[in-house]
């Protein structure tokens, strides 16, 4: 353990709070049981859980515990690239790419491609609008206006006095 870790938020807590952090991480006990184990009330434990230092200590403790398993986990994910199931292979590859920073949690190659297509389409529309505005000989051209705030059909009926 590095000196930075030993000086981190987890080590700034007293023994009771450190024990509460450990028990919360293990997730085997209820909050009432954890409070009893550290000889505090449930409301005290609640106050601790809302304290920024306690939250930071929880994050530090989780990193310290998970750090020991990171290499084994990465090796296993790498092994799964050769699994029989293509779905397992895809999930393994996606996990590795996310860990390397090439994908975010809400990103997939398909989603990224769709985003690029959308941006290109929006750029084409903007270019066409700019060209139309700059064209001095645009007489007789019909202008198309895109409006995103149109109401659904049933809302418009209510405004016109129609019953739904």
């Amino acid at each position: 353990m590095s000196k930075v870790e030993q000086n981190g938020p987890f080590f700034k807590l007293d023994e009771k709070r450190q024990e509460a952090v450990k028990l919360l991480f293990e997730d085997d006990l209820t909050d009432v049981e954890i409070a009893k184990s550290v000889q505090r009330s449930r409301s005290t434990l609640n106050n601790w859980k809302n304290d920024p230092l306690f939250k930071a200590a929880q994050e530090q403790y989780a990193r310290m515990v998970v750090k020991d398993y990171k290499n084994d986990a990465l090796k296993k994910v790498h092994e799964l690239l050769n699994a029989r199931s293509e779905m397992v292979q895809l999930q393994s590859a996606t996990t590795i790419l996310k860990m390397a920073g090439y994908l975010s949690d809400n990103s997939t190659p398909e989603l990224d491609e769709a985003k690029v297509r959308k941006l290109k389409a929006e750029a084409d529309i903007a270019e066409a609008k700019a060209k139309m505005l700059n064209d001095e000989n645009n007489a007789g051209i019909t202008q198309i206006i895109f409006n995103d705030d149109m109401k659904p059909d049933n809302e418009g009926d209510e405004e016109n006095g129609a019953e739904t």
Side-chain angles (χ1 to χ4, degrees), residues 121-154:
E122 289 172 349
D124 290 344
I125 291 169
E127 184 178 345
K129 286 181 181 179
K131 184 177 180 183
M132 186 178 71
L133 290 172
N134 289 330
D135 187 4
E136 294 178 1
N137 300 322
N138 66 357
I141 294 177
T142 303
Q143 185 176 9
I144 299 173
I145 299 174
F146 294 96
N147 190 349
D148 288 342
D149 61 351
M150 294 181 67
K151 295 178 183 159
D153 290 338
N154 60 352

Side-chain angles (χ1 to χ4, degrees), residues 51-137:
D51 176 40
L53 178 63
F54 190 86
K55 289 178 181 181
Q58 287 181 289
E59 290 174 16
Q60 180 188 12
Y61 183 76
R63 282 192 309 274
M64 290 184 324
V65 172
V66 172
K67 184 177 173 185
D68 295 335
Y69 301 105
K70 183 175 69 174
N71 290 335
D72 291 338
L74 187 55
K75 285 177 190 174
K76 187 62 174 178
V77 172
H78 183 259
E79 289 172 16
L80 291 173
L81 284 172
N82 298 318
R84 288 185 184 185
S85 165
E86 288 185 5
M87 182 57 77
V88 172
Q89 292 174 3
L90 176 63
Q91 288 173 337
S92 178
T94 301
T95 299
I96 290 170
L97 291 171
K98 284 180 182 178
M99 291 173 73
Y102 291 109
L103 290 176
S104 67
D105 282 339
N106 57 358
S107 176
T108 64
E110 295 84 7
L111 182 59
D112 290 344
E113 287 178 26
K115 288 177 182 177
V116 168
R117 284 194 307 271
K118 181 182 177 202
L119 289 172
K120 285 181 179 177
E122 289 172 349
D124 290 344
I125 291 169
E127 184 178 345
K129 286 181 181 179
K131 184 177 180 183
M132 186 178 71
L133 290 172
N134 289 330
D135 187 4
E136 294 178 1
N137 300 322

